Amino acid sequence: MEYVSPEGLRLDGRRPMEMRQIRAEIGAVSKADGSAIFEMGNTKVIAAVYGPREVQNKSQQINSHALVRCEYSMANFSTGDRMRKSKGDRRSTEISLVIRQTMEACIMTHLLPRSQIDIYVQVLQADGGTRSACINAATLALADAGIPMRDLVTSCSAGYLNSTPLLDLNYVEDSAGGPDVTLGILPKLDKVTLLQMDSKLPIDILENVMQLAIEGCKAIANYIREILLENTKQLEYRRGV
Amino acid sequence: MEYSSDGRIKRGNHAAKMYIIIIIKCLKTLAFTGMVGLSLGERHFIQGGIAQDLRSDGRKRLTYRPLSVETGVIPQVNGSARVRIGATDVIASVKAELGKPSLLQPDKGKVSLYMDCSSTADPAFEGRGGEELAAELSNALQNCLLGGKSGAGAGIDLSSLIVVEGKICWNLYIDGLVVSSDGNLLDALGAAIKAALSNTGIPRVQVAAGTLNDEHPEVDVCDDEFLQFDTSGVPVIVTLTKVGRHYIVDATSEEESQMSSAVSISFNRQGHICGITKRGGVGLDPSILLDMISVAKHVSEQVLNKLDSEIASAEAEEES
């Protein structure tokens, strides 16, 4: 199948190096300590953060730093054909773990000893790149909760189809069988915290694809920073400062 | 109470000691049973406010929080809606799939309800924690919206889902998701389902000529022509929560933690009761129950009007 037309357009009309439209909103769940909605095209996720708070299960308490937990779940209506999935299947457990490890790497856990931070991500619409969208939403929610972080982790995926590196794959491109590189970076520190790839890819092309994903992550980081700044301005305005 | 010089209660003053122990025991059990950690003072404040008809958020006993409806929030399903009542936020979606009607009711389609409590709403819903509440909500909604087992008294006309009698029908899957929870989930989900159903478009189906009498008739699903549901018969649910000697509508989660029992009653446009569910362990006097029903009927009229106008404006906004 042709994923990039001779004119250089993808199935949804994007250029190879173009990202889907992103939209973020802070404060979707009023009861949570921090929450955010993040949309990448038709992918839409909600993240909610509870904590830092007292450790619920005392046996899990860590005396030197905070305990970070994460749960990923998909709504029944999130995918095209409706299916009933129980929580805790292998895929969601794996994604929960990936998100937890990525977020743990950026949270300054040593500042919050003997406490617990819960991150819950809920997928409302899945159209490829849920992993990346979840990480971006979680970053925003953590920032909203006021949890100290080294940097704002952002994530983006890139692939390689029809001998063209493609940024931010949607579901159709994702299931095409080509390589899918999901990357998470700390944009200010310029460090990679998450890198996952399936399928095979020559090393020199991987370099290009990775570079493209890094560009994507940085663009998202800029957007997230803007949203946070806007939110802080709003809060400031409401306080009457 | 008498205290010795070192501050401890004097030996022999047995009654005082027992009293303190009982208080500590009470506090411990309350700490475990209450969903929301409330102090004694806060609990008195909430109960006192309800008794004086001025609740902690300034509402009267029979006033709802502001309700807002957004339709068409999920693009990949046939109909969807998001309803917010105060800090409670729920999403309902309707998906229609072609299937075979059951042998017992060849002239009726099937409607299934599945509710889900997202852990974003409450950390207690993590893992399998939300399943119990989800099952309770699904059951209550089933009672209130879908009528009896035979499908009689359902808010949705099940025979309108039939394509070829006994062979092909539409199966409706209604999924609810609790995104944020601040009490009164049942009313919010009921409203969201009503809004999602009015947002639903079922594709027009054409049965290929000549195959009507076959075992598996060939059908052609139109992608551009949609049939709307008649949702005027879908009831609204009003939950009355009893706190102390009084009952309130639209309780927040703090108020729900103080409830002795709650009665959810669904009413349709004609003012007929479509279903009743009672929750909570404490018994109710039958006369109070009847009183509650008449109050709920009065409230339901206001809610129906409010909901209908919200749905209409949400639909208008979506089209524009």
Side-chain angles (χ1 to χ4, degrees):
Chain A
M1 198 174 151
E2 191 181 62
Y3 291 95
V4 184
S5 70
E7 294 83 39
L9 291 175
R10 286 153 73 175
L11 293 173
D12 51 5
R14 284 183 288 159
R15 298 271 170 198
M17 294 189 184
E18 200 178 331
M19 212 156 39
R20 290 177 286 181
Q21 190 177 18
I22 50 177
R23 196 184 77 88
E25 189 187 318
I26 289 178
V29 184
S30 41
K31 286 222 122 185
D33 294 305
S35 61
I37 292 186
F38 198 86
E39 285 174 39
M40 296 172 92
N42 276 328
T43 299
K44 185 174 183 180
V45 300
I46 290 187
V49 168
Y50 288 85
R53 54 181 186 148
E54 199 180 336
V55 180
Q56 303 295 302
N57 183 357
K58 281 279 179 274
S59 63
Q60 291 180 325
Q61 181 170 305
I62 311 163
N63 281 321
S64 56
H65 54 263
L67 171 72
V68 180
R69 298 169 74 231
C70 180
E71 193 185 79
Y72 166 97
S73 47
M74 282 179 96
N76 285 330
F77 47 74
S78 63
T79 46
D81 27 87
R82 189 188 168 280
M83 52 182 132
R84 193 147 171 77
K85 258 197 246 153
S86 59
K87 276 182 180 174
D89 59 341
R90 266 172 74 172
R91 186 173 171 273
S92 10
T93 315
E94 190 257 337
I95 298 186
S96 304
L97 185 75
V98 167
I99 300 170
R100 202 198 80 205
Q101 287 171 343
T102 315
M103 300 329 287
E104 215 169 13
C106 82
I107 298 172
M108 298 170 113
T109 47
H110 62 281
L111 295 180
L112 309 157
R114 293 180 293 283
S115 59
Q116 168 179 346
I117 299 165
D118 290 298
I119 305 166
Y120 299 113
V121 280
Q122 172 81 49
V123 178
L124 296 182
Q125 294 168 35
D127 184 31
T130 49
R131 225 170 276 243
S132 302
C134 285
I135 289 173
N136 297 331
T139 305
L140 269 171
L142 282 168
D144 183 35
I147 289 167
M149 288 191 282
R150 290 186 179 82
D151 199 353
L152 296 168
V153 215
T154 52
S155 171
C156 189
S157 67
Y160 189 72
L161 288 168
N162 297 139
S163 10
T164 324
L166 302 175
L167 184 63
D168 190 19
L169 305 182
N170 65 19
Y171 181 74
V172 184
E173 292 165 336
D174 197 9
S175 41
D180 170 23
V181 180
T182 303
L183 193 78
I185 63 161
L186 297 170
K188 281 239 160 132
L189 303 171
D190 226 357
K191 282 201 170 102
V192 174
T193 54
L194 164 72
L195 178 61
Q196 285 188 315
M197 191 190 83
D198 46 20
S199 177
K200 57 183 176 189
L201 199 63
I203 293 178
D204 50 332
I205 293 173
L206 174 71
E207 220 176 285
N208 290 339
V209 174
M210 248 181 79
Q211 196 53 46
L212 188 63
I214 289 177
E215 295 296 321
C217 289
K218 286 193 173 156
I220 292 174
N222 284 337
Y223 179 72
I224 283 185
R225 210 165 278 278
E226 254 171 53
I227 290 287
L228 281 172
L229 217 63
E230 188 58 39
N231 184 54
T232 314
K233 270 187 197 155
Q234 284 271 332
L235 291 175
E236 205 174 46
Y237 176 73
R238 277 183 216 158
R239 274 183 71 179
V241 179
Chain B
M1 258 183 271
E2 291 173 60
Y3 291 91
S4 63
S5 55
D6 59 356
R8 277 183 297 185
I9 301 161
K10 268 184 187 170
R11 228 172 247 277
N13 196 344
H14 195 68
K17 214 170 164 185
M18 284 298 286
Y19 183 63
I20 290 174
I21 290 171
I22 290 169
I23 290 179
I24 291 171
K25 272 191 178 165
C26 285
L27 287 176
K28 268 189 181 165
T29 46
L30 280 168
F32 284 116
T33 48
M35 278 257 288
V36 197
L38 289 179
S39 70
L40 204 64
E42 284 172 301
R43 289 206 298 269
H44 278 307
F45 186 76
I46 289 172
Q47 287 166 359
I50 289 168
Q52 289 172 31
D53 202 8
L54 181 66
R55 288 151 73 177
S56 25
D57 47 8
R59 283 184 290 155
K60 285 177 171 277
R61 281 198 286 264
L62 298 181
T63 323
Y64 260 77
R65 286 172 285 181
L67 180 142
S68 75
V69 179
E70 204 182 323
T71 52
V73 287
I74 311 285
Q76 67 268 30
V77 292
N78 297 76
S80 62
R82 182 177 185 178
V83 166
R84 270 175 265 208
I85 304 182
T88 296
D89 190 342
V90 297
I91 296 177
S93 79
V94 179
K95 183 131 186 122
E97 278 170 18
L98 282 175
K100 204 173 166 9
S102 72
L103 286 172
L104 291 172
Q105 290 155 330
D107 58 339
K108 286 192 171 86
K110 282 179 277 186
V111 181
S112 338
L113 278 167
Y114 295 100
M115 296 302 127
D116 198 2
C117 296
S118 167
S119 41
T120 55
D122 194 327
F125 297 156
E126 197 186 313
R128 311 188 82 87
E131 273 177 21
E132 204 175 315
L133 179 65
E136 192 185 336
L137 288 170
S138 308
N139 247 327
L141 285 163
Q142 194 113 26
N143 283 341
C144 290
L145 300 175
L146 297 183
K149 272 215 171 67
S150 62
I156 310 154
D157 183 13
L158 296 180
S159 45
S160 68
L161 296 170
I162 281 292
V163 179
V164 180
E165 195 176 315
K167 284 164 190 157
I168 301 173
C169 69
W170 284 107
N171 291 334
L172 288 190
Y173 294 98
I174 303 178
D175 284 301
L177 180 72
V178 178
V179 176
S180 173
S181 120
D182 188 20
N184 208 18
L185 292 176
L186 204 57
D187 295 19
L189 282 168
I193 290 171
K194 189 173 161 77
L197 281 170
S198 23
N199 181 241
T200 301
I202 303 278
R204 189 186 290 277
V205 177
Q206 235 120 36
V207 183
T211 60
L212 194 63
N213 296 323
D214 296 4
E215 186 57 36
H216 301 286
E218 278 175 36
V219 288
D220 184 30
V221 180
C222 294
D223 288 331
D224 44 1
E225 259 187 280
F226 293 98
L227 296 172
Q228 290 284 322
F229 262 126
D230 177 28
T231 51
S232 56
V234 179
V236 285
I237 304 171
V238 173
T239 304
L240 289 178
T241 309
K242 197 159 182 288
V243 179
R245 290 175 52 230
H246 302 275
Y247 39 83
I248 52 173
V249 297
D250 192 20
T252 61
S253 50
E254 275 87 19
E255 287 163 339
E256 269 179 1
S257 70
Q258 300 306 307
M259 76 172 195
S260 54
S261 55
V263 182
S264 302
I265 312 156
S266 65
F267 287 95
N268 63 8
R269 252 287 157 227
Q270 287 79 38
H272 296 158
I273 300 175
C274 301
I276 300 184
T277 319
K278 182 192 166 292
R279 286 175 296 144
V282 181
L284 273 179
D285 199 82
S287 64
I288 294 181
L289 201 59
L290 291 175
D291 191 31
M292 283 170 110
I293 290 172
S294 66
V295 170
K297 180 169 183 275
H298 179 66
V299 175
S300 75
E301 285 163 17
Q302 299 163 14
V303 178
L304 256 176
N305 289 338
K306 170 82 180 141
L307 187 61
D308 280 347
S309 70
E310 282 289 333
I311 292 173
S313 66
E315 294 276 349
E317 199 163 298
E318 199 195 336
E319 274 163 27
S320 65

